Amino acid sequence: MGERDLFYIPLGGTAALGAATALTASIGFLRTRDFRFDSLAHAATETSLAFLGAAIVSGCFVIHSATGLWWTWDARLTAALVCWLLFATCLMLRQGVEEPSRRAAFAAVWSIFACLDVPLVAATAAWWKPGKALPIEWTWPRLGLLAAMAIAGGLFTAVRARHEDSGCVPPVD
Amino acid sequence: MMGFFRQVGVVAAKDLRAELRTKEAINSSLAFALVILLMFSFAFDPLADTTREIAGGLLWIVFAFAGTLVLNRSFARELPNDCLDGLIAAPVSRAALFLGKACASFLLVLGVQLVSLPVFGIFYNVPWTRQFPELFLVLVLGTWGLTVVGTISSALTVNIRLRELMLPMLTYPILFPALLGAMQLTAILVAGNPIGPGDFGWLKMMVGFDVIYTAVSLALVETILVS
């Protein structure tokens, strides 16, 4: 395991935790109509998108060092890309809808749609390109990185959710 | 329960009647499908053997693009004269409203597909008639997935800017499992081969996708359609 292999699995794991948070918060919003859940879902989706993007980029580096290609359409990369697009559509839908209560409800519904698709996408990608992905091994360095990244992601999410709650945009500097 | 399906039928019949009178969505969708089929022939040699191998993928790209033109109109049709508010206020359940609209769009998209399929067969010299019953099953399953997700997207995007752009952007990533399955199976069937036991997994994936998204859409549509 080289240093490059170290990162993409914890990054992807943190993105998955973010997606699970977004799904839980979306269900919470639809049940309670409490806008704090909506802010949490928004922030968790953003964090998840950032970490998944980083996971895809580091995955590209791993593949490049192994095969000399930057993109090989293997099952895991393809599934990660489709999931990244799914989370991106959640944020795009948010940008499009102006009225706050409608925006929150629509985004929550679409989050649930997108999260339900994640296992289907993973299964489809694995059938489409069988037998190429390496097994995921949770070694201690990776677990340590996952813990660190999960804390960092949690902090990002908390800060973004608080900005959303207070209705102000984050400071630029 | 009978009442629910009658409501679905009434909404679907209303949508089909409105569409068949104006023919605005179906005409543009058909014309668009033909234009894309023509464009593909510029991109690669239409009669080469390699083209026949990717025929399933090409066909579903055409169906997905042409389908969104029909789906865009599904809820946008109700915007003039505030018809959408009227429909939501009407004494039909919103699930029935959604399912009726999905059924109407499904029939329209299927119609467009059944017209463009022979054209595709002639243009690209593909023996699509040999396995037609299986191909029809794949068309039905794939189109239902497309319409159910597309109708929900149509309801979500009806009031926002760039509606025509947002609908395909929302729909295609979600449809990845269903579209990929449809493309794989269609590629086998339009080449004149039967579906082997190794390909039943794709069929199950499409059925599962349709069932999951129909159920979730029916459960969540109440929160989307608010006046």
Side-chain angles (χ1 to χ4, degrees):
Chain A
M1 189 175 74
E3 308 89 63
R4 283 176 180 171
D5 290 25
L6 201 56
F7 291 104
Y8 74 103
I9 292 175
L11 282 167
T14 314
L17 288 177
T21 314
L23 175 66
T24 317
S26 296
I27 295 171
F29 175 80
L30 288 181
R31 290 187 76 92
T32 62
R33 300 278 158 175
D34 184 339
F35 276 86
R36 278 174 300 180
F37 279 119
D38 177 53
S39 310
L40 180 61
H42 188 177
T45 311
E46 281 181 341
T47 311
S48 192
L49 193 72
F51 273 90
L52 192 57
I56 292 174
V57 171
S58 63
C60 285
F61 277 102
V62 173
I63 290 218
H64 186 70
S65 63
T67 64
L69 300 170
W70 288 107
W71 192 269
T72 54
W73 293 110
D74 78 320
R76 208 169 287 159
L77 268 181
T78 312
L81 180 66
V82 176
C83 291
W84 192 89
L85 283 172
L86 284 173
F87 297 151
T89 57
C90 293
L91 294 181
M92 274 168 38
L93 185 65
R94 261 178 203 284
Q95 268 189 343
V97 187
E98 298 202 343
E99 202 253 313
S101 68
R102 191 169 283 196
R103 176 172 58 214
F106 284 14
V109 167
W110 200 251
S111 271
I112 294 172
F113 263 63
C115 288
L116 274 179
D117 213 28
V118 170
L120 293 179
V121 166
T124 313
W127 277 345
W128 188 43
K129 299 281 168 184
K132 278 194 175 175
L134 294 167
I136 296 179
E137 287 166 23
W138 284 108
T139 53
W140 282 111
R142 279 182 179 157
L143 281 173
L145 270 174
L146 176 70
M149 285 174 187
I151 292 170
L155 284 174
F156 284 150
T157 309
V159 170
R160 281 294 290 137
R162 226 179 60 188
H163 280 303
E164 288 288 327
D165 264 342
S166 57
C168 71
V169 286
V172 185
D173 53 339
Chain B
M1 205 60 204
M2 249 357 263
F4 178 81
F5 286 110
R6 238 190 64 217
Q7 291 172 355
V8 171
V10 168
V11 174
K14 171 203 89 64
D15 262 29
L16 284 175
R17 208 177 304 127
E19 178 53 42
L20 292 178
R21 279 182 191 159
T22 59
K23 299 192 183 62
E24 51 180 0
I26 200 154
N27 275 354
S28 58
S29 178
L30 267 175
F32 190 62
L34 291 180
V35 169
I36 309 178
L37 280 174
L38 182 68
M39 296 265 286
F40 279 150
S41 70
F42 305 159
F44 28 73
D45 180 7
L47 297 179
D49 283 340
T50 44
T51 308
R52 230 149 303 152
E53 282 163 27
I54 55 170
L58 295 182
L59 204 52
W60 276 97
I61 290 174
V62 173
F63 292 165
F65 284 177
T68 45
L69 288 184
V70 172
L71 293 164
N72 252 325
R73 295 297 305 156
S74 181
F75 276 88
R77 185 184 291 127
E78 313 294 351
L79 281 182
N81 306 324
D82 293 329
C83 293
L84 189 54
D85 287 338
L87 272 179
I88 291 169
V92 290
S93 80
R94 285 164 207 176
L97 179 59
F98 162 77
L99 203 58
K101 281 196 161 293
C103 288
S105 302
F106 170 76
L107 291 175
L108 292 172
V109 177
L110 201 64
V112 171
Q113 292 178 345
L114 289 178
V115 173
S116 39
L117 194 60
V119 178
F120 175 79
I122 293 166
F123 275 8
Y124 293 87
N125 196 17
V126 170
W128 60 276
T129 42
R130 263 189 239 162
Q131 303 286 345
F132 187 70
E134 288 91 340
L135 185 61
F136 188 72
L137 175 70
V138 173
L139 282 186
V140 166
L141 288 175
T143 311
W144 182 253
L146 176 72
T147 26
V148 120
V149 176
T151 308
I152 280 284
S153 311
S154 176
L156 288 172
T157 56
V158 67
N159 279 315
I160 69 180
R161 288 164 285 139
L162 298 176
R163 180 178 59 225
E164 277 81 12
L165 195 65
M166 278 297 277
L167 180 95
M169 298 272 268
L170 289 180
T171 315
Y172 296 154
I174 291 263
L175 279 175
F176 171 76
L179 271 185
L180 192 59
M183 284 177 178
Q184 302 282 332
L185 292 174
T186 308
I188 298 168
L189 291 169
V190 294
N193 302 321
I195 300 178
D199 303 310
F200 281 129
W202 292 114
L203 216 52
K204 282 185 205 156
M205 165 64 80
M206 291 174 76
V207 173
F209 183 92
D210 288 0
V211 170
I212 291 173
Y213 278 98
T214 309
V216 178
S217 302
L218 286 175
L220 293 179
V221 76
E222 299 279 334
T223 55
I224 296 173
L225 292 176
V226 283
S227 50

